[in-house]
């Protein structure tokens, strides 16, 4: 079970979009802020300056550089920090791919809410800047080929390749991180893989501890330190996150959704869902089209600050200094929570 891939897939809402933009200097393209979005930009050829709207110092990018912007803030790409900026309009995106121009950038955008609200991803800084790994380069080549052949920016092939690009970029960052967090701890990772593999199973802290070959108390301590939540709270949050996705994307009856995410009955599931979100699952299904306040409340169930540290919005690259740990939420009270 690839926990990172599973987490990213479950958090994504809507369909990601991609475009390829090319310029001849001088150029200055401004990208508007998109709250709740995560952006990926890969410089395929040439060079550009990243100019954040926040006023933070610009970052010079060369061929092979990859940016992951997880705060949804506006920014610009330009050949020089002094070049006047023009807005990136839909027409500019449609006409943006010209293989004869010296600078070529592949751009992707995800609707994910705040990436760092996920317990496994909260240490990802607001801006990740790294060199493309061989796997990232291969995905970019395929994505560029799709766009050259006229694929829609949100077409099925483009969506699948953006999923891979986002995932491989995150993996590359985690591999270089000085504090790899929960995914770098074999014991905690084993427990996470068990939860993600079978969220419907009647997990307890004891059975999860056996997955990692440690005692119940050792798992509880390490899991809480590295994710910010106890195992039972993570299990509850993950089940309800999966339930929200099923409600939004399928017409499965509530009893089926309940069974898939580990609740013994439709009534127990409905009570837990409403208790944690303030909205009944049936109402959520009829009103949900994108990430809404109910799902944002689900995001808040997973406290983002742990000993591993959550990068502040001002972080530009690498890992920010850790914040002081906050108090984890109380375990959810339903029969399927670990104990």
């Amino acid at each position: 079970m690839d926990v990172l891939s599973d987490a990213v897939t479950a958090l994504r809402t809507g369909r990601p979009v991609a475009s390829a933009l090319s310029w001849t200097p001088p150029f200055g393209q401004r990208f508007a802020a998109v709250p709740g979005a995560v952006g990926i930009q890969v410089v395929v050829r040439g060079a550009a300056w990243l100019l954040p709207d926040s006023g933070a110092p610009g970052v010079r990018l060369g061929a092979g550089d990859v940016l992951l912007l997880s705060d949804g803030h506006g920014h610009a790409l330009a050949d020089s920090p002094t070049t006047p900026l023009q807005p990136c309009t839909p027409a500019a995106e449609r006409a943006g791919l010209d293989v004869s121009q010296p600078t070529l950038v592949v751009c992707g955008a995800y609707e994910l809410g705040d990436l760092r609200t996920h317990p496994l991803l909260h240490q990802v800084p607001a801006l990740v800047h790294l060199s493309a790994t061989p796997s990232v380069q291969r995905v970019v080549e395929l994505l560029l080929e799709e766009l050259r052949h006229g694929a829609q920016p949100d077409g099925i092939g483009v969506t699948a390749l953006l999923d891979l690009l986002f995932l491989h970029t995150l993996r590359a960052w985690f591999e270089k991180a000085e504090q790899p967090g929960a995914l770098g701890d074999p014991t905690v990772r084993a427990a996470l893989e068990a939860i993600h593999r079978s969220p419907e199973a009647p997990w307890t802290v004891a059975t999860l501890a056996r997955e990692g070959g440690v005692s119940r108390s050792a798992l509880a301590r390490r899991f809480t330190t590295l994710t910010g939540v106890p195992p039972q709270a993570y299990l509850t949050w993950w089940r309800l996150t999966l339930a929200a996705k099923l409600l939004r994307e399928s017409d499965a009856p509530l009893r089926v959704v309940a069974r898939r995410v580990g609740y013994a009955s439709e009534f127990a599931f409905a009570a837990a869902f409403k208790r944690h979100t303030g909205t009944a699952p049936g109402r959520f299904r009829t009103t949900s089209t994108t990430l809404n306040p109910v799902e944002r409340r689900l995001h808040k169930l997973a406290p983002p600050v742990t000993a591993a540290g959550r990068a502040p919005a001002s972080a530009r690259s690498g890992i920010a200094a850790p914040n002081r740990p906050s108090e984890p939420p109380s375990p959810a009270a339903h029969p399927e929570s670990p104990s």
Side-chain angles (χ1 to χ4, degrees), residues 298-326:
L298 274 177
H299 283 218
K300 292 177 183 178
L301 286 177
V305 181
T306 72
R310 173 177 175 175
S314 60
R316 306 319 307 164
S317 62
I319 302 177
N323 294 325
R324 186 167 60 187
S326 62

Side-chain angles (χ1 to χ4, degrees), residues 29 36 57 92 109 118 134 155 210 221 236 240 252 260 334:
Q29 195 86 72
H118 193 289
R210 284 199 291 271
R221 182 175 60 254
T236 297
L240 295 179
R260 287 183 182 177
H334 65 77

Side-chain angles (χ1 to χ4, degrees), residues 181-276:
L183 295 176
D185 183 287
T187 297
V188 176
R189 187 182 184 103
L192 288 167
E193 288 175 345
I195 290 172
H196 282 245
R197 181 174 63 248
S198 303
E200 78 288 351
W203 294 112
T204 66
V205 175
T207 58
L208 289 172
R210 284 199 291 271
E211 293 287 325
V214 296
S215 68
R216 181 181 183 278
S217 59
L219 175 67
R221 182 175 60 254
R222 290 162 70 172
F223 196 104
T224 303
T225 297
L226 293 175
T227 69
V229 291
Q232 62 268 45
Y234 182 87
L235 175 61
T236 297
W237 177 80
W238 181 242
R239 284 172 167 171
L240 295 179
T241 297
L242 292 178
K245 188 173 182 67
L246 285 169
L247 291 170
R248 186 177 62 244
E249 298 181 357
S250 78
D251 57 359
L254 292 186
R255 67 179 183 279
V256 174
V257 174
R259 188 167 59 249
R260 287 183 182 177
V261 298
Y263 286 84
S265 70
E266 175 183 337
F267 303 104
F269 163 65
F273 194 91
K274 186 171 184 179
R275 180 168 62 251
H276 287 289

Side-chain angles (χ1 to χ4, degrees), residues 35-293:
V38 174
I40 305 176
Q41 295 181 330
V42 184
V43 181
V44 178
R45 186 173 64 240
W49 279 84
L50 169 76
L51 305 173
D53 280 4
S54 64
V59 180
R60 191 179 189 282
L61 308 172
D65 280 3
V66 181
L67 289 175
L68 178 66
L69 301 105
S70 62
D71 55 13
H73 292 173
H75 61 283
L77 291 176
D79 69 302
S80 165
T82 60
T83 300
L85 303 178
Q86 300 294 327
C88 186
T89 63
E93 289 188 351
R94 286 193 297 270
L97 180 55
D98 181 346
V99 294
S100 67
Q101 294 183 320
T103 300
L104 175 61
V105 178
V106 171
C107 306
Y110 269 80
E111 294 180 26
L112 279 175
D114 184 353
L115 177 74
R116 296 180 302 280
T117 56
H118 193 289
L120 305 183
L121 304 177
H122 56 227
Q123 72 189 98
V124 178
L127 188 150
V128 170
H129 176 202
L130 46 79
S131 297
T133 61
S135 60
V136 168
Q137 291 175 339
R138 289 193 294 270
V139 176
V140 170
E141 290 171 2
L142 291 171
L143 182 55
L144 190 57
E145 192 68 18
E146 281 288 299
L147 295 171
R148 280 173 173 163
H149 282 82
Q152 292 297 312
D154 62 348
I156 294 175
V158 169
T159 296
L161 290 169
L162 268 178
D163 281 338
L164 283 174
L165 179 58
F166 185 34
L167 178 61
H168 282 286
T169 299
L170 282 175
R171 281 180 181 163
W173 183 81
F174 273 108
E175 288 173 0
K176 295 178 179 297
E178 296 176 4
Q179 302 175 26
L183 295 176
D185 183 287
T187 297
V188 176
R189 187 182 184 103
L192 288 167
E193 288 175 345
I195 290 172
H196 282 245
R197 181 174 63 248
S198 303
E200 78 288 351
W203 294 112
T204 66
V205 175
T207 58
L208 289 172
R210 284 199 291 271
E211 293 287 325
V214 296
S215 68
R216 181 181 183 278
S217 59
L219 175 67
R221 182 175 60 254
R222 290 162 70 172
F223 196 104
T224 303
T225 297
L226 293 175
T227 69
V229 291
Q232 62 268 45
Y234 182 87
L235 175 61
T236 297
W237 177 80
W238 181 242
R239 284 172 167 171
L240 295 179
T241 297
L242 292 178
K245 188 173 182 67
L246 285 169
L247 291 170
R248 186 177 62 244
E249 298 181 357
S250 78
D251 57 359
L254 292 186
R255 67 179 183 279
V256 174
V257 174
R259 188 167 59 249
R260 287 183 182 177
V261 298
Y263 286 84
S265 70
E266 175 183 337
F267 303 104
F269 163 65
F273 194 91
K274 186 171 184 179
R275 180 168 62 251
H276 287 289
T277 68
T279 300
R283 179 172 176 79
F284 171 82
R285 164 170 275 166
T286 59
T287 59
S288 175
T289 55
T290 60
L291 188 69
N292 57 31

